[in-house]
Amino acid sequence: MKEERIKRVLLIVGIVLTVSFCLLPFIYMVMVSFAKNADFLSLSSRYVFTVNNYKEVLFNANLHFLDYLKNSAIVSVVSAGVAVLLGSLAAFSITRLPLPFKGLVLFVTLSMSMFPQVSLVGFLFSFMTKLGWINTYLALIFPYIAWVLPLSLWILVSYFASIPRDIDKQAFIDGCSSWQILFKVIWPLARPGIFSTFLLAFIFSFNEFMFALLFTTDHRTRTVPVGIALFQGLHGEIPWGTIMAAATVSTLPIIVLVLVFQRNIIQGLTRGAVKG
Amino acid sequence: MRLSLYGVTKKFFSLRRIITAVDDVTFDVHNGEFFVLLGPSGCGKSTILNLIAGLEKPTKGEIYFDDELVASPEKKVFLSPRERNVAMVFQSYALYPHLSVFDNIAFPLRIAKEKEDTIVKAINDVAEMLGITELLKAKPGELSGGQRQRVAIARAIVRRPRIFLLDEPLSNLDAQLRHTMRTELKSLQKEIGITTLYVTHDQIEAMTLGDRIAVLKDGKVIQVGTPEELYDSPLNTFVATFIGTPQMNLFKAELMEEDGKFYIIFERSKILVPSRRITLGTFRSGQEIIVGIRPEDIELLSTSEGGHFQGKVASVEYLGRELLVHFTTKTSRFNALVSERMVKEGDEIVARINVNSLHLFEE
């Protein structure tokens, strides 16, 4: 009985420590975003609550934060959507059709995604310049799709492979074409996998920094991470309050997405993990 | 619909070897017949079903639905399952887990773009026929094995297919349910009168369900016939031992002709073989042959009585109404099915066989 209690207490202490360790930066971020002066931790100042930072971020048109948010949303949704669509077509062919060298295809795709970003960025910059795509959405969307496609493909392949072949034989007998099998049977069955793939792809595109920094030049296409980073240059000092408020606002879409699809994602991530 | 296969061969090519799954198979299934493909696992029976369904392309040969050629690599004809209008029930039932029972059954009709009110009517009819009306709103995950089986069958027959293909549909059910489903399936098939091809490795299922049975081994058809024909006159030892439980006893013996009559010589006994049992084969005198006798055609007597050969009881199994007695002679082991309960382990006995039920096979 006593041992049980000690175990319980230790467990709770452990959980609290881990969670606070992980959440501390976020808590600090949120606190700073609501503080009048960012250096509230020093002895000489007091914490004064204010929402001015948020007002500044949301309503000061000179900061262009809402433009950044819009750009990020468009680029991420399109990249993730296209990646999932292409990924599921590829996964369908790899798991369903009698193709030679399937394993090799998967392996090569994976190894492509292991190139460090820096090694590509120079070439991509000159390429995008020649195409005249610098400072357009396309300059971000295409590299993002290429970047998240291997991950999408791998997750989706493991999902599609877990759907019994009898089901698509049955659908074929019931009169479906291959497209109908994919859209009417495989997609609904792999829904958790599709959701989690979409989310991972979305989060990746949403957070990406380097390509966004190099291929965009102003608020018409600049995405949130770059935008926030460049807040610094606007004034003489570093506007920590505004930066933190902007960061807090930009985490909201992802948090909302995750909460809405929570059940699907958890099921999705664990299943992908087990299936490798 | 009448189904005909002519010299159908299917080879699978892999990197290391070529596997001939179906080897020059020819047979006919008559209109409205319940036809069973019976064979041990790996004999190619499921592949034949897939070839008929249009899931696989034959390497050689022709498949006809009535007079319509549906598959022939030589003539470059291959109709898809949709064009063939076949229905199939898999061992795993293959219900769509994300759809309700109603939507599962409606699926093939919706793909065929039937009108919604026709669909509802068709589903209500078939649901009533199979007693699944109360289940229409449930998801497949909530159903028991037997219920899933019924839904799978309902989905198959709702579209009035030309042929009904079943791939070991009962092997996932427990013994009792399997028995009920067997009876139901048979009467359902008679009721709707649809040509049915049924694949199984279970000879009891084949014998009870089939109007005719094709016995397969290593991708070849060994024998086609009614259950009685297969049981009473198996063509070779494979069919003889595959059909009937307990298995037929086989032993080696010598064939001898004397005054126009045939005898078999086994362990110094000379057993007269009725001539109608001989005409089946092309046997010569002095030939070594394999003789088969079913366990129910052996009678066990006490040593004081006259029989064909002597033996000793090795073990006894109680089957309820009968006893299955394993006994050994000098050179062989036998099973006998007897109704008297006097026999005990270790008893010396004399076996008398019903000579009218002897089966002779060439080696």
Side-chain angles (χ1 to χ4, degrees):
Chain A
M1 194 63 198
K2 219 175 161 188
E3 198 184 329
E4 288 275 298
R5 273 185 78 162
I6 294 172
K7 267 191 187 166
R8 222 181 135 69
V9 168
L10 283 178
L11 183 70
I12 290 169
V13 169
I15 290 172
V16 169
L17 281 179
T18 318
V19 170
S20 31
F21 180 77
C22 295
L23 283 184
L24 210 61
F26 290 95
I27 294 168
Y28 181 69
M29 176 178 89
V30 174
M31 282 180 76
V32 173
S33 74
F34 282 112
K36 194 168 173 160
N37 41 344
D39 55 346
F40 61 85
L41 285 179
S42 73
L43 289 172
S44 58
S45 69
R46 281 187 320 118
Y47 187 84
V48 182
F49 180 85
T50 177
V51 291
N52 279 341
N53 293 327
Y54 285 89
K55 275 189 191 154
E56 173 95 358
V57 161
L58 294 176
F59 302 115
N60 184 348
N62 290 329
L63 286 180
H64 296 299
F65 178 71
L66 291 181
D67 290 330
Y68 300 153
L69 208 57
K70 185 192 76 186
N71 297 337
S72 272
I74 293 174
V75 168
S76 311
V77 167
V78 173
S79 315
V82 174
V84 168
L85 191 70
L86 289 179
S88 61
L89 290 178
F92 182 74
S93 351
I94 285 177
T95 54
R96 262 49 198 183
L97 304 180
L99 301 170
F101 311 118
K102 288 179 191 177
L104 193 69
V105 170
L106 277 176
F107 182 75
V108 169
T109 330
L110 184 68
S111 58
M112 305 268 251
S113 72
M114 289 178 182
F115 292 131
Q117 253 180 314
V118 195
S119 65
L120 293 174
V121 85
F123 160 74
L124 272 178
F125 186 81
S126 71
F127 184 62
M128 293 298 174
T129 314
K130 278 186 190 132
L131 285 174
W133 280 6
I134 294 293
N135 209 25
T136 63
Y137 288 147
L138 295 178
L140 296 181
I141 289 173
F142 275 92
Y144 287 179
I145 292 172
W147 208 251
V148 293
L149 199 53
L151 177 73
S152 313
L153 180 63
W154 272 74
I155 300 181
L156 289 171
V157 160
S158 81
Y159 263 90
F160 286 12
S162 71
I163 298 171
R165 293 296 307 272
D166 275 1
I167 297 261
D168 35 315
K169 278 195 201 165
Q170 179 69 54
F172 198 38
I173 294 223
D174 282 345
C176 286
S177 62
S178 293
W179 289 99
Q180 283 174 317
I181 294 179
L182 177 63
F183 292 130
K184 292 195 183 236
V185 180
I186 305 283
W187 265 29
L189 285 180
R191 207 176 59 202
I194 305 262
F195 273 128
S196 38
T197 313
F198 180 85
L199 261 153
L200 286 175
F202 180 87
I203 291 171
F204 174 87
S205 315
F206 202 83
N207 289 338
E208 203 282 332
F209 185 77
M210 189 185 285
F211 288 169
L213 177 67
L214 286 162
F215 302 155
T216 63
T217 51
D218 64 22
H219 62 85
R220 280 172 296 172
T221 54
R222 188 168 287 158
T223 58
V224 170
V226 179
I228 294 176
L230 297 184
F231 273 176
Q232 300 172 33
L234 288 176
H235 308 279
E237 86 289 352
I238 297 171
W240 283 115
T242 330
I243 289 177
M244 293 306 183
T248 310
V249 172
S250 50
T251 53
L252 284 180
I254 292 179
I255 292 177
V256 169
L257 271 180
V258 171
L259 286 180
V260 169
F261 298 115
Q262 196 185 22
R263 284 187 60 185
N264 283 319
I265 298 163
I266 290 171
Q267 203 189 343
L269 288 178
T270 50
R271 224 168 84 179
V274 173
K275 274 269 164 191
Chain B
M1 189 202 81
R2 189 185 76 249
L3 165 77
S4 320
L5 276 76
Y6 297 108
V8 172
T9 300
K10 174 70 186 175
K11 290 181 177 155
F12 290 106
F13 301 91
S14 71
L15 286 177
R16 262 170 292 166
R17 60 203 180 113
I18 299 171
I19 301 153
T20 309
V22 176
D23 192 358
D24 195 18
V25 163
T26 300
F27 63 81
D28 274 299
V29 179
H30 309 318
N31 187 23
E33 191 176 32
F34 201 119
F35 193 87
V36 178
L37 296 176
L38 173 67
S41 51
C43 71
K45 52 196 190 306
S46 293
T47 310
I48 295 180
L49 213 60
N50 288 345
L51 288 168
I52 295 166
L55 292 172
E56 305 267 9
K57 290 184 182 179
T59 318
K60 233 167 71 185
E62 295 180 348
I63 301 173
Y64 285 90
F65 283 14
D66 285 326
D67 295 322
E68 185 188 2
L69 183 64
V70 298
S72 163
E74 289 87 0
K75 295 181 188 159
K76 305 228 182 308
V77 176
F78 183 78
L79 299 191
S80 70
R82 184 209 285 259
E83 295 163 312
R84 294 184 195 195
N85 189 19
V86 294
M88 192 156 169
V89 174
F90 292 87
Q91 184 179 348
S92 58
Y93 317 135
L95 299 177
Y96 306 114
H98 60 296
L99 298 177
S100 69
V101 168
F102 183 93
D103 291 330
N104 258 287
I105 305 175
F107 192 86
L109 300 177
R110 287 191 177 139
I111 292 290
K113 303 226 161 48
E114 300 262 357
K115 284 200 199 75
E116 201 59 30
D117 48 332
T118 332
I119 295 180
V120 173
K121 197 186 165 304
I123 291 180
N124 286 335
D125 288 351
V126 73
E128 200 175 321
M129 198 189 287
L130 285 153
I132 51 171
T133 313
E134 348 45 284
L135 303 177
L136 287 176
K137 287 201 182 76
K139 286 273 174 72
E142 302 156 17
L143 306 181
S144 70
Q147 290 169 333
R148 285 181 204 183
Q149 182 64 74
R150 273 169 222 262
V151 175
I153 292 172
R155 179 178 55 183
I157 60 180
V158 73
R159 35 194 290 233
R160 312 229 151 259
R162 297 171 77 183
I163 187 164
F164 191 21
L165 309 170
L166 299 128
D167 193 353
E168 311 225 5
L170 303 183
S171 24
N172 282 357
L173 303 177
D174 60 61
Q176 198 148 31
L177 199 55
R178 202 179 311 167
H179 188 251
T180 13
M181 285 304 293
R182 213 154 66 197
T183 329
E184 271 181 43
L185 201 57
K186 179 87 181 173
S187 60
L188 184 72
Q189 194 265 342
K190 288 288 163 256
E191 195 183 319
I192 49 181
I194 184 172
T195 311
T196 302
L197 200 64
Y198 186 102
V199 159
T200 182
H201 62 267
D202 179 346
Q203 53 96 11
I204 298 180
E205 229 167 80
M207 298 291 277
T208 48
L209 283 171
D211 294 325
R212 281 193 308 146
I213 301 170
V215 181
L216 296 153
K217 190 195 177 193
D218 300 334
K220 289 192 182 72
V221 175
I222 306 290
Q223 188 175 5
V224 181
T226 63
E228 295 78 22
E229 282 166 5
L230 295 182
Y231 193 80
D232 293 337
S233 13
L235 268 185
N236 60 17
T237 53
F238 175 75
V239 180
T241 48
F242 199 69
I243 293 203
T245 37
Q247 258 187 18
M248 182 189 276
N249 298 295
L250 294 178
F251 56 91
K252 281 187 183 175
E254 195 187 322
L255 193 69
M256 195 185 84
E257 193 183 355
E258 209 174 81
D259 306 332
K261 284 178 179 159
F262 280 96
Y263 299 89
I264 54 171
I265 312 292
F266 175 67
E267 296 186 357
R268 279 180 292 155
S269 330
K270 190 169 157 190
I271 305 166
L272 175 71
V273 184
S275 51
R276 65 179 188 87
R277 286 278 156 198
I278 286 290
T279 48
L280 291 172
T282 49
F283 296 107
R284 287 170 291 101
S285 181
Q287 187 183 0
E288 276 272 304
I289 56 166
I290 294 176
V291 182
I293 184 80
R294 294 206 179 270
E296 61 266 33
D297 295 319
I298 301 181
E299 205 182 342
L300 298 184
L301 309 166
S302 62
T303 38
S304 54
E305 295 168 275
H308 289 114
F309 44 85
Q310 289 190 340
K312 190 176 175 192
V313 176
S315 66
V316 175
E317 283 176 51
Y318 290 88
L319 301 181
R321 197 163 52 82
E322 287 151 323
L323 285 187
L324 180 61
V325 180
H326 305 279
F327 68 93
T328 51
T329 64
K330 273 192 217 99
T331 56
S332 295
R333 291 179 63 90
F334 288 87
N335 299 322
L337 209 53
V338 297
S339 46
E340 311 89 46
R341 306 218 157 176
M342 271 82 102
V343 194
K344 292 192 308 294
E345 210 175 300
D347 281 0
E348 294 285 338
I349 44 99
V350 172
R352 180 150 72 197
I353 58 182
N354 179 359
V355 290
N356 286 316
S357 309
L358 277 179
H359 301 273
L360 308 189
F361 305 106
E362 283 182 88
E363 243 179 316

